[in-house]
Amino acid sequence: MNKALKNLDEVTIRFAGDSGDGMQLTGMQFTSTTAMLGNDLSTLPDYPAEIRAPAGTLFGVSGFQIHFGSTEINTPGDACDVLVAMNPAALKVNIRSLRDGGVIIANSDGFNDKNLKLASYEKNPLEDGSLEKYQVHSVKITQLTHNALEDLGLSNKITDRSKNFFALGMMYWMFSRPLEPTIKWIGDKFKKTPEIVEANTRVLKAGYAFGETTEIFAARYEVKPATMIPGKYRSITGNEATAWGLIAASVKSGLDLFLGSYPITPASDILHELSRHKNFRVKTFQAEDEIAGITASIGAAYGGALGATTTSGPGMALKGEALGLAVMLELPLIVIDVQRGGPSTGLPTKTEQADLLQALYGRNSEAPIPVITASTPADCFFMAFEAARIAIKYMTPVILLTDGYLANGAEPWLIPQVDNLPDISPKFRTEVEGFHPYLRDEKTLARPWAIPGTPGLEHRIGGLEKQHITGNVSYDPENHEFMVKMRQAKVDHIADDLPPATTEGDEKGDLLVVGWGGTYGAIRTAVENKRREGKSVSHLHLKYVNPFQKNVGEILYNFKNILVPELNLGQLSKLIRAKYLVPAVTLNKVQGLPFKAVEIEDKIDEIL
């Protein structure tokens, strides 16, 4: 039958099923293909906390949301246009994310009595009329998958695991996506098992053909490429971008990169990615615990390498004493905290801006550390590079805060020209005459970096207080106070080396929305929507929180009202109120989910 082809500016799709249904793989393949077509996009993978939760349960649902379009896309979407639900639990958990009138494509084979009971449905929602406000399409995805593979003699388990490709094929047909990139990926991924290649390829094509031939779909859709800055792009996640930013910093500094890390969700993928790039003089050490990870990296920095360690909130707590040691030693070290919900184990697979105050103050005594943040998945590359620049130039540990949403989310990344990245080579001390381990550079207040084994530069370091210049152990009260103030002055002095903060929108007005980290996309979308309505609202997004950029106070004082949306109970707002004495209004959310733009829009309307 002839089916209408309709053009759309943007679409949000959510794939949902059991953790073993391959929803993350399905979403990533749809994302990669969509990126190749030139659409702008933003994604939200939603992992269950249980590694292998019982099938059919509400807490075992895995989801993947993608928002793509021919216009600029800054968030994974407030509400879904299409929900692909592989079982009742997936429907129940995600139905609240679907807009009124949205499309549900349900695997009706998964809506059996057992699964309905596990999802606490008394009746089958596909049949009881409870979904009347949606466009519901029941498809026997499991049965159709078995039909496509019945002549291959595969086990039911292997056949069932291919059904996600049937759903993917339907979505490729519905939104005019090509099959070829995924077919190539299947061939590369499963090349050692030809029967799996054949099964997944056949099922993918079967899903596409079903969309073409069935009468339940009256139309398909086209989303044209977005207008983007010319250049070479690739889809990238925040964790990938962070890893590549560290590699770029290693190359541009001429230093070997050493990562000492203990696996922890959601930071582990940085370790995995870096372990693949030994050709760039990258050394990765999977330590036995968080303390060993950071102390090994401190040792690497002492030996002249670019030392880095990755973790999340609970790991930051364990690294606290070693962070104090790094402050006392005054060695360059990059600490990447991919934040998640807490306290303790908390919500290990969910996002939260939980650790800002811990990053600034989570150590004994006066132990100042520069803290910077990334705002988008692609921005993780540049801020990881910036962390290395500051650490090397100022001989200090630097904390980079990302979060689970940025780490696992993806967006198109304009690959930078390597020659455009600044040279951040260190100046190792080699001259013997006049050497003292705590003699300071007049401009940066950094002490010299002297590699162990350099003739005539023998010195020792440790956690005990050091005498100014000589580095000898000192218990002198006045010297201790002097050194505490000196270490603080060095961090404060970094503000002289930072670019001025800028606002998106007017430089003064009725309301300034101030954010940091992964709230960037939602705040930007909300502010742009309100500005189109004629509202006097602007956006300031902070990438440097210790120290702040020098003109932040000047910007704040130009607005009548300040709003700070955060995925915590108000950590940045506390800092802003304390430093600048402005009555910042807070908008807080701690549900393990990123902000929707509409939530911020509603707060803007309330204030104005």
Side-chain angles (χ1 to χ4, degrees), residues 42 67 133 136 142 162 229 264 303 308 323 342 347 368 377 428 438 455 476:
S42 178
H67 180 200
K133 64 180 180 179
V136 181
T142 304
S162 298
I229 299 172
I264 183 172
L323 283 168
L347 302 176
F428 289 119
Y438 280 82
D476 178 72

Side-chain angles (χ1 to χ4, degrees), residues 208-223:
Y208 191 95
F210 178 83
E212 183 71 48
T213 58
T214 185
E215 297 182 2
I216 66 172
F217 301 134
R220 65 190 306 208
Y221 306 94
E222 182 178 22
V223 181

Side-chain angles (χ1 to χ4, degrees), residues 188-515:
D188 294 337
K189 176 72 174 178
F190 302 106
K191 59 185 176 183
K192 294 183 179 180
T193 50
E195 66 276 14
I196 302 299
V197 173
E198 172 64 19
N200 290 338
T201 301
R202 189 184 292 192
V203 172
L204 180 71
K205 292 179 177 179
Y208 191 95
F210 178 83
E212 183 71 48
T213 58
T214 185
E215 297 182 2
I216 66 172
F217 301 134
R220 65 190 306 208
Y221 306 94
E222 182 178 22
V223 181
K224 293 184 177 180
T227 301
M228 304 174 77
I229 299 172
K232 190 172 185 178
Y233 287 80
R234 63 152 286 158
S235 177
I236 198 166
T237 68
N239 276 344
E240 288 174 327
T242 301
W244 290 17
L246 292 176
I247 293 172
S250 171
V251 172
K252 297 298 287 189
S253 66
L255 301 174
D256 287 0
L257 173 62
F258 178 90
L259 180 76
S261 186
Y262 180 73
I264 183 172
T265 301
S268 299
D269 284 341
I270 302 173
L271 171 61
H272 301 160
E273 182 65 23
L274 286 176
S275 68
R276 301 186 180 103
H277 298 290
K278 296 179 176 63
N279 56 307
F280 284 112
R281 300 192 309 178
V282 176
K283 299 177 178 66
T284 53
F285 168 52
Q286 181 172 318
E288 64 269 30
D289 56 38
E290 294 282 2
I291 299 170
I294 187 172
T295 51
S297 297
I298 292 172
Y302 181 52
L306 181 61
T309 187
T310 55
T311 190
S312 191
M316 282 291 286
L318 291 167
K319 293 180 189 293
E321 183 179 3
L323 283 168
L325 175 62
V327 170
M328 184 66 82
L329 302 182
E330 299 191 52
L331 286 168
L333 176 71
I334 303 163
V335 181
I336 297 165
D337 177 5
V338 186
Q339 300 164 97
R340 71 191 206 189
S344 188
T345 308
L347 302 176
T349 62
K350 308 300 180 182
T351 196
E352 195 170 301
Q353 293 180 302
D355 303 337
L356 180 59
L357 295 182
Q358 181 180 210
L360 265 69
Y361 305 121
R363 295 165 292 283
N364 66 298
S365 191
E366 302 288 339
I369 294 180
V371 179
I372 66 177
T373 74
S375 55
T376 70
D379 189 47
C380 291
F381 173 90
F382 298 101
M383 296 314 289
F385 190 96
E386 176 71 347
R389 182 190 74 84
I390 294 172
I392 293 169
K393 184 173 182 178
Y394 292 90
M395 290 291 287
T396 178
V398 176
I399 296 173
L400 169 60
L401 296 176
T402 71
D403 57 54
Y405 163 59
L406 295 179
N408 297 316
E411 67 176 350
W413 175 48
L414 177 59
I415 300 173
Q417 296 294 320
V418 175
D419 293 341
N420 293 338
L421 297 174
D423 182 2
I424 56 174
S425 301
K427 297 178 181 178
F428 289 119
R429 177 76 186 217
T430 57
E431 297 176 12
V432 175
E433 185 176 353
F435 169 72
H436 293 286
Y438 280 82
L439 186 67
R440 298 187 181 274
D441 182 273
E442 292 183 359
K443 293 182 178 180
T444 65
L445 301 182
R447 77 173 187 87
W449 197 357
I451 304 302
T454 305
L457 302 187
E458 294 84 1
H459 66 285
R460 64 182 180 181
I461 60 174
L464 292 172
E465 184 62 277
K466 301 298 183 291
Q467 185 181 50
H468 178 46
I469 299 179
T470 69
N472 296 330
V473 172
S474 172
Y475 299 103
D476 178 72
E478 287 77 15
N479 177 78
H480 173 59
E481 183 169 338
F482 177 87
M483 292 296 280
V484 165
K485 291 180 177 179
M486 176 63 73
R487 289 187 288 264
Q488 182 64 59
K490 182 174 70 169
V491 172
D492 293 340
H493 195 60
I494 294 171
D496 296 332
D497 196 22
L498 302 180
T502 58
T503 58
E504 296 181 3
D506 300 322
E507 295 182 358
K508 58 178 62 178
D510 292 337
L511 176 62
L512 179 67
V513 185
V514 182

Side-chain angles (χ1 to χ4, degrees), residues 167-178:
L168 181 60
M170 281 195 295
M171 290 298 97
Y172 278 165
W173 174 84
M174 181 175 287
F175 293 100
S176 307
R177 315 277 100 175

